[in-house]
Coordinates of all heavy atoms in Angstrom, one line a residue:
A1 N -15.7 -15.5 0.5 CA -16.5 -16.5 1.1 C -15.9 -17.2 2.4 O -16.5 -17.5 3.4 CB -16.7 -17.6 0.1
A2 N -14.6 -17.4 2.3 CA -13.9 -18.0 3.4 C -14.0 -17.1 4.7 O -14.4 -17.6 5.8 CB -12.4 -18.3 3.2
H3 N -13.7 -15.9 4.6 CA -13.8 -14.9 5.7 C -15.2 -14.7 6.1 O -15.5 -14.5 7.4 CB -13.1 -13.6 5.3 CG -11.7 -13.7 5.1 ND1 -11.0 -12.9 4.1 CD2 -10.7 -14.5 5.5 CE1 -9.7 -13.2 4.2 NE2 -9.5 -14.2 5.0
K4 N -16.1 -14.7 5.3 CA -17.5 -14.5 5.6 C -18.0 -15.7 6.5 O -18.7 -15.5 7.5 CB -18.4 -14.4 4.4 CG -19.9 -14.3 4.7 CD -20.3 -12.9 5.2 CE -21.7 -12.7 5.2 NZ -22.1 -11.3 5.7
L5 N -17.7 -16.9 6.1 CA -18.3 -18.1 6.7 C -17.5 -18.6 7.8 O -17.9 -19.5 8.6 CB -18.5 -19.2 5.6 CG -19.5 -18.9 4.5 CD1 -19.7 -20.0 3.6 CD2 -20.8 -18.6 5.2
A6 N -16.2 -18.1 8.0 CA -15.4 -18.5 9.1 C -16.1 -18.2 10.4 O -16.0 -18.9 11.4 CB -14.0 -17.9 9.0
A7 N -16.8 -17.1 10.4 CA -17.5 -16.6 11.6 C -18.6 -17.8 12.1 O -19.0 -17.8 13.2 CB -18.2 -15.4 11.5
K8 N -19.0 -18.6 11.1 CA -19.9 -19.6 11.5 C -19.3 -20.9 11.7 O -19.9 -22.0 11.7 CB -20.9 -19.7 10.3 CG -21.9 -18.5 10.0 CD -22.8 -18.7 8.9 CE -23.7 -17.5 8.7 NZ -24.6 -17.7 7.6
G9 N -17.9 -20.9 11.8 CA -17.3 -22.1 12.1 C -16.8 -23.0 10.9 O -16.4 -24.1 10.9
K10 N -17.1 -22.4 9.7 CA -16.8 -23.1 8.4 C -15.5 -22.6 7.8 O -15.4 -21.5 7.3 CB -18.0 -22.9 7.5 CG -19.3 -23.5 7.8 CD -20.3 -23.4 6.7 CE -21.6 -24.1 7.1 NZ -22.5 -24.1 6.0
K11 N -14.5 -23.4 8.0 CA -13.1 -23.0 7.6 C -12.5 -24.1 6.7 O -11.2 -24.3 6.7 CB -12.2 -22.8 8.8 CG -12.7 -21.7 9.7 CD -11.7 -21.2 10.7 CE -10.5 -20.5 10.2 NZ -9.6 -20.1 11.2
H12 N -13.3 -24.7 5.9 CA -12.8 -25.8 5.0 C -13.3 -25.5 3.6 O -14.4 -25.2 3.4 CB -13.5 -27.2 5.4 CG -13.1 -28.3 4.4 ND1 -14.1 -29.0 3.7 CD2 -11.9 -28.8 4.1 CE1 -13.5 -30.0 3.0 NE2 -12.1 -29.8 3.1
L13 N -12.3 -25.6 2.7 CA -12.6 -25.3 1.2 C -12.2 -26.5 0.4 O -11.4 -27.3 0.8 CB -11.8 -24.1 0.8 CG -12.1 -22.7 1.4 CD1 -11.3 -22.5 2.6 CD2 -11.8 -21.6 0.4
I14 N -12.8 -26.7 -0.8 CA -12.6 -27.8 -1.7 C -12.3 -27.3 -3.1 O -13.0 -26.3 -3.5 CB -13.8 -28.7 -1.8 CG1 -14.1 -29.3 -0.5 CG2 -13.4 -29.8 -2.8 CD1 -15.4 -30.1 -0.5
T15 N -11.1 -27.6 -3.6 CA -10.8 -27.2 -5.0 C -10.0 -28.4 -5.7 O -10.1 -29.5 -5.2 CB -9.9 -26.0 -5.0 OG1 -9.7 -25.5 -6.3 CG2 -8.6 -26.2 -4.4
T16 N -9.4 -28.2 -6.8 CA -8.7 -29.3 -7.4 C -7.2 -29.0 -7.5 O -6.8 -27.8 -7.3 CB -9.3 -29.6 -8.9 OG1 -8.7 -28.4 -9.7 CG2 -10.7 -29.6 -8.9
V17 N -6.4 -29.9 -7.8 CA -4.9 -29.8 -7.9 C -4.5 -29.0 -9.1 O -3.3 -28.6 -9.1 CB -4.2 -31.1 -7.8 CG1 -4.5 -31.9 -6.5 CG2 -4.7 -32.0 -9.1
F18 N -5.3 -28.9 -10.0 CA -4.9 -28.3 -11.3 C -5.6 -27.0 -11.7 O -5.7 -26.6 -12.8 CB -4.7 -29.3 -12.5 CG -6.0 -29.6 -13.2 CD1 -5.9 -30.1 -14.4 CD2 -7.3 -29.4 -12.7 CE1 -7.0 -30.4 -15.3 CE2 -8.4 -29.7 -13.4 CZ -8.2 -30.2 -14.8
E19 N -6.0 -26.3 -10.7 CA -6.7 -24.9 -10.9 C -5.6 -24.0 -11.5 O -4.5 -24.2 -11.3 CB -7.3 -24.5 -9.7 CG -8.4 -25.3 -9.1 CD -9.7 -25.3 -9.9 OE1 -10.1 -24.1 -10.3 OE2 -10.2 -26.3 -10.2
H20 N -6.1 -22.8 -11.9 CA -5.3 -21.7 -12.2 C -4.6 -21.2 -10.9 O -5.2 -21.4 -9.8 CB -6.1 -20.6 -12.8 CG -5.3 -19.5 -13.4 ND1 -4.7 -18.5 -12.6 CD2 -4.9 -19.2 -14.7 CE1 -4.1 -17.6 -13.4 NE2 -4.2 -18.1 -14.7
H21 N -3.4 -20.7 -11.0 CA -2.7 -20.3 -9.8 C -3.5 -19.1 -9.1 O -3.3 -18.9 -7.9 CB -1.4 -19.7 -10.3 CG -0.4 -20.8 -10.4 ND1 0.5 -20.8 -11.5 CD2 0.0 -22.0 -9.6 CE1 1.2 -22.0 -11.5 NE2 0.9 -22.7 -10.4
A22 N -4.4 -18.5 -9.7 CA -5.2 -17.5 -9.1 C -6.0 -18.0 -8.0 O -6.4 -17.4 -7.0 CB -6.1 -16.8 -10.1
V23 N -6.4 -19.4 -8.2 CA -7.2 -20.0 -7.2 C -6.2 -20.8 -6.2 O -6.3 -20.7 -5.0 CB -8.2 -21.1 -7.9 CG1 -8.7 -22.0 -6.9 CG2 -9.1 -20.4 -8.6
L24 N -5.2 -21.5 -6.8 CA -4.3 -22.3 -6.0 C -3.5 -21.4 -5.0 O -3.4 -21.7 -3.7 CB -3.4 -23.1 -6.8 CG -3.8 -24.1 -7.7 CD1 -2.8 -24.9 -8.5 CD2 -4.6 -25.3 -6.7
H25 N -3.0 -20.3 -5.4 CA -2.3 -19.4 -4.5 C -3.2 -18.7 -3.5 O -2.8 -18.5 -2.4 CB -1.5 -18.4 -5.4 CG -0.4 -18.9 -6.1 ND1 0.4 -18.2 -6.9 CD2 0.1 -20.2 -6.1 CE1 1.4 -19.0 -7.5 NE2 1.2 -20.3 -7.0
T26 N -4.5 -18.4 -3.9 CA -5.4 -17.9 -2.9 C -5.7 -18.8 -1.9 O -5.7 -18.5 -0.7 CB -6.7 -17.5 -3.6 OG1 -6.3 -16.5 -4.7 CG2 -7.7 -16.9 -2.8
C27 N -5.8 -20.1 -2.2 CA -6.1 -21.1 -1.2 C -4.9 -21.4 -0.3 O -5.0 -21.5 0.9 CB -6.5 -22.5 -1.9 SG -8.1 -22.5 -2.7
A28 N -3.7 -21.2 -0.9 CA -2.5 -21.4 -0.1 C -2.3 -20.3 1.0 O -2.0 -20.4 2.0 CB -1.2 -21.4 -1.0
A29 N -2.8 -19.0 0.5 CA -2.7 -17.9 1.4 C -3.8 -18.1 2.6 O -3.5 -17.8 3.7 CB -3.1 -16.7 0.8
L30 N -4.9 -18.7 2.3 CA -5.9 -19.0 3.3 C -5.5 -20.1 4.3 O -5.8 -20.1 5.5 CB -7.3 -19.4 2.7 CG -8.1 -18.3 2.0 CD1 -9.2 -18.8 1.2 CD2 -8.5 -17.2 3.0
E31 N -4.6 -21.1 3.7 CA -4.2 -22.1 4.6 C -3.3 -21.4 5.7 O -3.2 -21.9 6.9 CB -3.4 -23.1 3.8 CG -4.3 -24.1 3.0 CD -3.5 -25.1 2.1 OE1 -2.8 -24.7 1.3 OE2 -3.7 -26.2 2.4
K32 N -2.5 -20.4 5.3 CA -1.6 -19.7 6.2 C -2.5 -19.1 7.4 O -1.9 -18.8 8.4 CB -0.7 -18.8 5.6 CG 0.3 -19.4 4.6 CD 1.2 -18.5 3.9 CE 2.2 -19.1 2.9 NZ 3.0 -18.0 2.2
E33 N -3.7 -18.8 6.9 CA -4.6 -18.1 8.0 C -5.3 -19.2 8.9 O -6.1 -18.7 9.7 CB -5.7 -17.2 7.3 CG -5.0 -16.0 6.5 CD -6.2 -15.3 5.8 OE1 -7.3 -15.3 6.3 OE2 -5.8 -14.6 4.9

């Protein structure tokens, strides 16, 4: 979703602080991008 919508200028995501690491680490990887 992030890579698809980045082309439209949408580079912001929302999640919570206590997600499973499969979500948190994925979001952290996207922050590096």
Side-chain angles (χ1 to χ4, degrees):
H3 293 149
K4 177 76 174 181
L5 296 178
K8 298 182 179 181
K10 294 188 174 185
K11 300 190 70 174
H12 174 240
L13 296 87
I14 299 170
T15 188
T16 74
V17 295
F18 83 159
E19 298 290 313
H20 190 279
H21 283 130
V23 171
L24 293 179
H25 290 176
T26 299
C27 288
L30 288 171
E31 287 181 298
K32 293 179 180 178
E33 296 180 23

